[in-house]
Amino acid sequence: MSRPFLAVNMAMTLDGKVCRPDGKWYGLSSRNDKRRMDEIRSEADALILGKNSLLNDDPVTHLRYVGSEKEPRAIILVRTGTLPSDRKVFHFSKVKPLLFCTSKNESQVRSELSEFAEIVPLQGEDLDPEIVLKELEKRGHSKILLEGGPRLNDSFFRKGLVDRLYLTIVPFFIGQSGLPSITGGESAYSNFDKADWKLVSSEQKEQEVFLIYDKQNSSEVR
């Protein structure tokens, strides 16, 4: 069955951490990485963001380092509760973000964010990644970039929905145990030791390394 092409974009330290001890990422990526991130975003037509990323880092989601008339539409996934309306994504996006919530928190989300986002409730108490992708495909999105935290990434990796991984290695060791990695759940992935991923690009700029891995036998980039 066809579906949109999905890529994940993440940065991690030399010891595999994706956040500081305080749960944020600030200061660990260079201008080179920010430029590369915008280049990757400019090739997508939708950018999936998770609630925790928006709460912890309030990232800039509009393009700053590359010139492009279009930018990917921000897609926000909010499983529980809501978000503050002061997040940058609500005020600097060229197109109003699309926000998926559940039937359980729809009322709260609508009361606080209906002015700032197009709200799409899904039935149930969770946001099924496959249903999210189907809804995005209905809206004409075929190349999607996911910039989520470990839990959100895990929900897509676990169902085999990720076609490409953009990975930046930054030159730091944090050392603290228990900090999250790119993806993680309560159980291991089946056949995790099978060579499913192919390194298709490796580039060094100053002290960072930019890697691209493609899923073997994945659908072609659209």
Side-chain angles (χ1 to χ4, degrees), residues 1 19 28 55-56 63 69 104 107 129-130 156 162 186:
M1 182 180 296
C19 70
L28 295 180
L55 286 174
N56 292 335
L63 303 181
E69 293 184 2
K104 188 174 182 179
S107 177
E130 291 177 309
F156 285 86
V162 180
E186 295 182 359

Side-chain angles (χ1 to χ4, degrees), residues 49-172:
L49 303 159
K51 177 184 174 182
N52 288 338
S53 297
L54 293 172
L55 286 174
N56 292 335
D57 286 308
D58 191 18
V60 173
T61 57
H62 59 282
L63 303 181
R64 297 175 295 169
Y65 296 93
V66 299
S68 176
E69 293 184 2
K70 291 183 61 179
E71 63 183 25
R73 186 179 189 184
I75 312 299
I76 304 170
L77 305 188
V78 181
R79 292 181 171 90
T80 61
T82 185
L83 281 166
S85 62
D86 64 354
R87 300 295 89 178
K88 294 185 182 73
V89 68
F90 295 126
H91 300 280
F92 296 100
S93 299
K94 290 182 179 178
V95 179
K96 183 180 285 190
L98 183 67
L99 190 154
F100 288 95
C101 63
T102 69
S103 53
K104 188 174 182 179
N105 66 334
E106 177 186 0
S107 177
Q108 183 181 9
V109 169
R110 286 194 184 279
S111 67
E112 299 185 24
L113 296 176
S114 59
E115 178 184 349
F116 304 99
E118 179 186 345
I119 297 166
V120 179
L122 300 181
Q123 293 298 313
E125 298 184 0
D126 204 356
L127 299 176
D128 187 316
E130 291 177 309
I131 295 177
V132 169
L133 291 183
K134 287 178 182 178
E135 290 294 326
L136 293 179
E137 187 174 34
K138 288 179 185 177
R139 291 165 171 77
H141 298 298
S142 60
K143 294 182 69 175
I144 300 170
L145 184 63
L146 169 60
E147 292 183 4
R151 180 188 174 193
L152 183 57
N153 288 346
D154 179 73
S155 67
F156 285 86
F157 274 107
R158 194 164 291 277
K159 291 200 171 187
L161 299 174
V162 180
D163 302 293
R164 174 170 291 175
L165 172 63
Y166 294 100
L167 180 62
T168 301
I169 308 297
V170 299
F172 302 100

